[in-house]
Amino acid sequence: MAVKMPAKPSTPRLSELPVDGHFGEFGGQFVPEILVPALKELERVYKEMSVRFDFQSELKALRADYGGRPTPLYFAKRLTEYANGARIFLKREDLVHGGAHALNNALGQALLARAMGKRRVIAETGSGQHGVAVAMACAVLGLHAEIYMGVRDIERQKMNVQRIQLLGATVHPVTTGSQTLKDAMNEALRDWVTNVPTTYYLIGSAVGPHPYPMIVRDFQRVIGDEIKGQLLRREQRLPDLLVACVGGGSNAIGTFYPFVNDEKVRFLGVESGGAAALCHGSIGVLHGAKTFVLQDEHGSISETYSVAAGLNYPAVGPEHAFYKKLGRAEYITVSDQEALEGFRLLARFEGILPSLEAAHALYAGVQHAQRMKRDQIVVITLSGRGEKDLETVVHHDTHAALE
Amino acid sequence: MILTQRLSKRFEEVHSRREAALIGYLMVGEPELSRTLDYIRALESGGVDIVELGVPFTDPIADGPILQAAHSRALGQGVNIHTVFQVVRELRKSSEIPILLVTYYNPICRLGEEPFARRCSEAGVDGVIIPDLPIEEAVSWVNQARKYGLARVFFVTPETDNERVQKICEYASGFVYLVSRYGTTGPSETLAPTVLPLLERVKPLLPGDLKLAVGFGFSTRTQIELVVRAGADGVIVASALAVRVAEGASPEALAEYIRELKAGTKHISSQIL
């Protein structure tokens, strides 16, 4: 029997994506058949809840009273003086309950899990921030959370492992493959394939099969929506440049997306030099989505390394892949050393310890601000706080001092 | 191009002997690349009717620990899609057994669907099973596979409702792969409680030219007998073979085990004859 090719749709605006689960040629649902009905059901419930007043008002109240939103948009005066260029503002997602932007998404999806009647929630985590956020969201909504985490990440993000456990969630150490975020996601998918009737998979970044990249973006767009409102109130204008770090890319897409039709606002996504799918990858399929992937000539996925566990992922959200292809956003890399320098800059000039993930954005944002005019505005999303990384930073400092 | 005849002819032959097909899996590179061909021949001499050859991938999300280990050992030996084509070409010099490749989608994506399908056809592959390619993403693949005469095997699972089964049948050719239970690949001693109701529900929905093969969790003759009696046209055994190969079974020992399993396929019910 003939399979009909779907009719070619007219070009939609970027803000209207995804269409049929795709961002241009990217995205989709490259998953085992057993998961397809669950993904369709998730999309159906999500669409229903996104227009339900009771769902939205509960989410809004939790974000405000439990999560601490809105987060400040802080004018970094001393950092601006140091850069001696554009004015630098910091979007303080590090002040969200739990210490990172991750809670924005975790609360939203935990509410979806509850609405779908699924009381068991699984998640993957790299830096542990998403794991902490899921554990918190499940505790506050009375759900049971199990978190997959690579043993290499467990080693370097011990404090977050302890937090997850104290919050009542179980941590499953992952010993397969590179033992990092990618492998934690493999194990979470294997769990989901096994337990899909009873289990909600709460993906932590704007990656994975449709509808996850859309859902995560929509729950994270609160970052960009707040930036827009706060800057318009304070400066009566839009920013010239938005800067965010990109691993899977959830804080970045949350920052960029509300400005996607504001053509004069430039987007800068900052990848880790050792895990730069957009800057160094090629088109492939990992974890259910077609996107840019770090791989060899035969399609084996490459191992990555980053000082920031949350950026250590060989693929990237499909919407970023499309932004790159269209030239809507620019993506660059920052090395481990440069990220550590970004960490120190923010600590010394502003008294804020950023996560090593956010330190990538910070370093690149300051570099760009230096080359921009004084009447221009750069907003850097400070996606998380740095307490979890103190051991890593101190260790690197000790090494540097010895050399 | 017409669908390769080897697969449909084999199903006819098996059926005319009042048997179901035994479909046996081996990861290319197991137990080591220089001996893979010996083990494929052992599958055939033991009584496997159709061979599935695994293409290794770094992130096999639908596989349990046994096949995950096989994937990583094969990658460790440098096995890739071209190695697999070479093994098939070598095998084709002496065997007409139907060969299906089992590969995750990314190696196909990397090579390109058209070159992949063409090289499959040139090497003598009869069909392709892609565990992470549901029909929604398969429109262009189906067209390439049709162009090169490759069977398009898609999955049906306990989660697949009847309407979707019928849609899947429009995309599939050769046979439909019935996933017996929830979970990843891996052997079991017992029959999953989900499998017989699923078989009973799905079998009447298939058009006459589409066969039904059941897989996931098969390792004993008794399990095979039960699903064959219930109407399965074929049974797929993968992890149970892989674990024996990994534990050092000789080709002769593997063939002996396959004879035992094959005996379970000789009990097709009278009602479907």
Side-chain angles (χ1 to χ4, degrees):
Chain A
M1 211 175 293
V3 175
K4 285 184 221 91
M5 291 291 268
K8 242 199 170 116
S10 57
T11 313
R13 283 159 72 90
L14 276 182
S15 54
E16 290 159 5
L17 297 178
V19 170
D20 286 338
H22 292 81
F23 302 90
E25 70 187 281
F26 303 105
Q29 289 183 332
F30 295 84
V31 293
E33 170 62 29
I34 199 159
L35 297 180
V36 173
L39 292 171
K40 287 187 192 293
E41 175 66 3
L42 174 59
E43 183 174 11
R44 189 190 66 74
V45 173
Y46 173 68
K47 285 197 166 142
E48 188 188 323
M49 292 303 149
S50 63
V51 293
R52 277 263 294 266
F53 180 76
D54 53 350
F55 183 94
Q56 292 302 325
S57 58
E58 187 173 6
L59 176 58
K60 201 173 165 197
L62 274 170
R63 276 181 171 169
D65 306 334
Y66 180 72
R69 299 209 74 91
T71 59
L73 183 69
Y74 166 68
F75 172 54
K77 186 162 173 286
R78 293 199 65 226
L79 201 60
T80 299
E81 285 166 7
Y82 166 82
N84 197 23
R87 284 191 294 159
I88 300 171
F89 287 80
L90 302 176
K91 180 58 176 167
R92 297 292 307 274
E93 293 300 294
D94 60 315
L95 296 177
V96 177
H97 178 48
H101 73 292
L103 191 72
N104 303 334
N105 169 49
L107 278 176
Q109 286 200 60
L111 282 170
L112 279 180
R114 200 187 62 185
M116 294 174 82
K118 297 194 174 179
R119 309 203 69 81
R120 178 175 183 265
V121 172
I122 57 171
E124 81 296 333
T125 196
S127 70
Q129 284 303 141
H130 177 56
V132 166
V134 171
M136 286 173 165
C138 287
V140 78
L141 293 174
L143 305 168
H144 170 70
E146 298 183 28
I147 312 293
Y148 287 90
M149 189 168 183
V151 293
R152 277 195 213 167
D153 291 336
I154 287 178
E155 191 55 41
R156 59 176 167 166
Q157 307 274 250
K158 276 188 211 112
M159 187 185 81
N160 274 347
V161 176
Q162 289 163 346
R163 291 169 81 200
I164 293 167
Q165 289 167 334
L166 289 168
L167 289 160
T170 309
V171 176
H172 295 298
V174 174
T175 56
T176 51
S178 60
Q179 306 177 340
T180 58
L181 178 56
K182 164 182 86 97
D183 310 283
M185 194 150 176
N186 286 343
E187 285 307 320
L189 281 163
R190 289 179 185 125
D191 181 314
W192 205 32
V193 161
T194 310
N195 300 298
V196 64
T198 59
T199 299
Y200 184 93
Y201 181 17
L202 206 164
I203 294 185
S205 192
V207 300
H210 177 72
Y212 284 104
M214 171 182 75
I215 290 177
V216 175
R217 174 199 72 195
D218 290 355
F219 285 139
Q220 291 294 359
R221 69 170 290 169
V222 65
I223 302 171
D225 284 332
E226 285 181 10
I227 291 172
K228 204 176 222 182
Q230 288 164 325
L231 206 59
L232 282 173
R233 271 195 299 282
R234 189 190 155 117
E235 304 288 332
Q236 294 79 48
R237 54 166 292 195
L238 295 175
D240 297 282
L241 180 68
L242 295 168
V243 187
C245 64
V246 178
S250 71
N251 90 83
I253 206 70
T255 301
F256 299 164
Y257 179 66
F259 295 89
V260 75
N261 294 330
D262 301 316
E263 282 161 21
K264 289 194 174 147
V265 180
R266 289 163 54 214
F267 302 160
L268 180 67
V270 186
E271 297 190 297
S272 164
L278 287 160
C279 292
H280 303 148
S282 51
I283 293 174
V285 167
L286 183 67
H287 295 146
K290 185 177 275 192
T291 181
F292 283 93
V293 177
L294 291 163
Q295 57 183 331
D296 72 10
E297 58 182 316
H298 304 299
S300 281
I301 307 302
S302 308
E303 287 205 12
T304 52
Y305 180 78
S306 173
V307 71
L311 301 185
N312 193 28
Y313 184 65
V316 66
E319 196 159 10
H320 286 295
F322 196 45
Y323 283 10
K324 178 193 162 79
K325 183 155 185 199
L326 294 176
R328 180 63 187 90
E330 184 190 353
Y331 297 92
I332 60 167
T333 64
V334 154
S335 71
D336 287 353
Q337 284 310 319
E338 290 167 335
L340 288 159
E341 198 180 321
F343 182 99
R344 287 183 207 108
L345 272 179
L346 195 65
R348 305 228 172 119
F349 282 102
E350 297 292 349
I352 299 169
L353 301 176
S355 67
L356 284 173
E357 289 80 10
H360 285 74
L362 202 93
Y363 179 86
V366 170
Q367 292 283 309
H368 271 67
Q370 284 175 339
R371 299 193 293 265
M372 290 164 66
K373 297 190 198 106
R374 281 162 197 264
D375 62 352
Q376 291 188 299
I377 292 176
V378 175
V379 177
I380 305 171
T381 296
L382 198 57
S383 54
R385 69 180 189 213
E387 276 78 359
K388 70 183 179 61
D389 295 316
L390 294 189
E391 221 176 284
T392 307
V393 174
V394 170
H395 175 82
H396 275 267
D397 279 352
T398 313
H399 268 255
L402 287 174
E403 281 163 19
Chain B
M1 199 183 286
I2 321 161
L3 194 64
T4 145
Q5 296 298 303
R6 279 183 290 255
L7 187 63
S8 53
K9 267 171 70 181
R10 181 55 52 96
F11 271 112
E12 279 169 31
E13 288 161 17
V14 167
H15 194 74
S16 68
R17 294 201 304 264
R18 303 165 65 100
E19 298 169 12
L22 183 65
I23 303 170
Y25 173 98
L26 187 74
M27 172 65 72
V28 172
E30 288 284 83
E32 54 191 24
L33 188 54
S34 60
R35 294 199 287 160
T36 290
L37 272 169
D38 296 340
Y39 279 79
I40 301 173
R41 293 186 182 114
L43 295 182
E44 193 172 3
S45 73
V48 155
D49 300 294
I50 296 162
V51 171
E52 282 184 10
L53 293 181
V55 180
F57 182 52
T58 36
D59 298 86
I61 53 165
D63 287 309
I66 291 170
L67 291 189
Q68 284 173 42
H71 280 277
S72 71
R73 279 191 301 270
L75 289 170
Q77 294 180 77
V79 173
N80 58 53
I81 188 68
H82 301 288
T83 325
V84 174
F85 291 140
Q86 211 162 337
V87 166
V88 174
R89 277 195 295 271
E90 200 54 39
L91 185 70
R92 273 288 169 253
K93 291 178 182 168
S94 60
S95 172
E96 280 297 298
I97 192 164
I99 299 170
L100 303 167
L101 298 192
V102 184
T103 176
Y104 285 84
Y105 184 68
N106 197 51
I108 300 178
C109 184
R110 187 73 171 131
L111 187 58
E113 289 179 345
E114 196 278 337
F116 174 81
R118 177 162 37 83
R119 287 177 202 197
C120 278
S121 163
E122 286 165 0
V125 170
D126 299 291
V128 184
I129 303 173
I130 311 169
D132 57 349
L133 190 74
I135 53 171
E136 282 79 359
E137 303 295 343
V139 174
S140 59
W141 165 246
V142 163
N143 289 330
Q144 293 301 339
R146 186 183 287 129
K147 183 172 160 200
Y148 288 100
L150 300 168
R152 312 172 295 271
V153 178
F154 287 95
F155 294 83
V156 163
T157 80
E159 288 280 293
T160 316
D161 66 24
N162 289 354
E163 194 186 331
R164 188 166 170 81
V165 171
Q166 281 164 334
K167 209 171 157 201
I168 288 169
C169 289
E170 293 176 22
Y171 285 70
S173 69
F175 64 90
V176 164
Y177 190 135
L178 200 74
V179 176
S180 71
R181 55 162 164 75
Y182 291 92
T184 52
T185 56
S188 161
E189 294 287 306
T190 55
L191 197 65
T194 35
V195 64
L196 292 180
L198 182 62
L199 195 56
E200 208 168 295
R201 171 165 72 86
V202 171
K203 179 89 179 170
L205 301 173
L206 301 192
D209 58 340
L210 204 53
K211 304 293 178 189
L212 186 68
V214 190
F216 279 49
F218 287 88
S219 71
T220 72
R221 174 182 170 165
T222 313
Q223 290 171 308
I224 292 173
E225 277 174 7
L226 289 168
V227 293
V228 169
R229 281 211 190 103
D233 302 305
V235 181
I236 299 153
V237 183
S239 299
L241 299 180
V243 73
R244 281 165 175 80
V245 174
E247 286 170 1
S250 65
E252 295 74 28
L254 191 68
E256 190 51 43
Y257 173 57
I258 286 164
R259 270 189 279 281
E260 164 78 11
L261 298 177
K262 178 62 197 168
T265 67
K266 301 185 178 177
H267 290 273
I268 62 177
S269 70
S270 49
Q271 68 188 37
I272 63 164
L273 280 178

